[in-house]
């Protein structure tokens, strides 16, 4: 509950690299994620820590959306890719990657790392076959979700979560 109540989108990073131990803990959280029907082979993660690749992703996103620094200077981007079929069954594929990203996000809070869900830059990556090859994203997989992670000067504190924020029907 602590990570859930403190989690927020962090958009400023110190530039200090994520340690190998932190990266391994993050990946353990990802691997603990549920995946529809246990089909773990339908999702893959790409962990980008190479500064040149991060810059290339930022540049590709800036060209696509006309906005600079869509990765906020974070030293790590984790991309979740999946196999899309182009039909209603894709909700499971999108849900699988969203669950993985949220597990990563909560683990980042637990590790006192900043994190932010990334969508725009992922759309830009998905539309650039050359960049997907540079990122070693497997043929037949589409990047659909991402999380930037890194050391931050922002602290975590409990947030006031209003009840009723999401319309809820309780059917007894």
């Amino acid at each position: 509950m602590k990570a859930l109540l403190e989690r927020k989108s962090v958009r400023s990073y110190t530039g200090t690299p994520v340690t190998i131990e932190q990266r391994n803990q993050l990946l353990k959280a990802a691997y603990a994620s549920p995946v529809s029907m246990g089909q773990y082979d339908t999702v893959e993660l790409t962990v980008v820590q190479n500064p040149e690749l991060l810059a290339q992703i930022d540049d590709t996103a800036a060209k696509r959306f006309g906005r600079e620094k869509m990765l906020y200077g974070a030293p790590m981007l984790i991309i979740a890719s999946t196999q899309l079929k182009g039909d209603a069954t894709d909700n499971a594929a999108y849900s699988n990657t969203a669950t993985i990203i949220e597990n990563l996000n909560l683990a980042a809070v637990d590790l006192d790392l900043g994190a932010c869900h990334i969508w725009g830059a992922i759309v830009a990556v998905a539309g650039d076959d050359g960049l997907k090859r540079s990122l070693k994203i497997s043929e037949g997989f589409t990047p659909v979700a991402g999380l930037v992670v890194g050391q931050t000067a922002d602290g975590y504190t409990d947030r006031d979560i209003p009840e009723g924020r999401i319309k809820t029907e309780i059917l007894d």
Side-chain angles (χ1 to χ4, degrees):
M1 287 303 293
K2 182 175 179 359
L4 285 170
L5 295 175
E6 291 183 357
R7 193 214 58 75
K8 64 181 179 179
S9 294
V10 174
R11 293 181 176 89
S12 69
Y13 297 90
T14 65
T16 303
V18 173
T19 67
I20 292 170
E21 294 80 16
Q22 290 168 325
R23 183 182 67 205
N24 290 344
Q25 283 297 108
L26 290 166
L27 290 174
K28 187 173 185 175
Y31 303 152
S33 299
V35 169
S36 176
M37 305 297 291
Q39 295 176 338
Y40 288 90
D41 60 338
T42 64
V43 292
E44 70 178 27
L45 298 175
T46 304
V47 180
V48 185
Q49 295 178 277
N50 177 297
E52 290 81 21
L53 284 172
L54 290 168
Q56 189 177 354
I57 293 166
D58 245 344
D59 290 345
T60 301
K63 286 176 191 159
R64 171 86 189 248
F65 294 100
R67 224 176 97 208
E68 299 291 321
K69 301 293 181 197
M70 292 180 71
L71 302 181
Y72 307 109
M76 176 187 279
L77 169 65
I78 303 172
I79 300 170
S81 300
T82 189
Q83 296 174 319
L84 296 175
K85 298 174 186 158
D87 61 28
T89 62
D90 283 347
N91 4 346
Y94 284 111
S95 293
N96 291 338
T97 57
T99 301
I100 291 166
I101 293 296
E102 187 61 5
N103 267 24
L104 286 163
N105 203 347
L106 294 172
V109 174
D110 191 54
L111 293 167
D112 206 29
L113 295 168
C116 186
H117 284 253
I118 298 297
W119 302 104
I122 301 305
V123 169
V125 169
D128 187 319
D129 289 337
L131 185 53
K132 286 194 301 188
R133 280 190 297 278
S134 294
L135 295 169
K136 299 182 180 179
I137 294 171
S138 297
E139 186 72 31
F141 281 77
T142 302
V144 296
L147 189 77
V148 290
V149 182
Q151 300 290 335
T152 184
D154 291 358
Y156 286 108
T157 58
D158 280 354
R159 297 179 298 145
D160 181 31
I161 310 295
E163 288 190 33
R165 172 185 234 179
I166 299 171
K167 184 179 187 275
T168 305
E169 295 292 335
I170 299 173
L171 307 173
D172 290 327

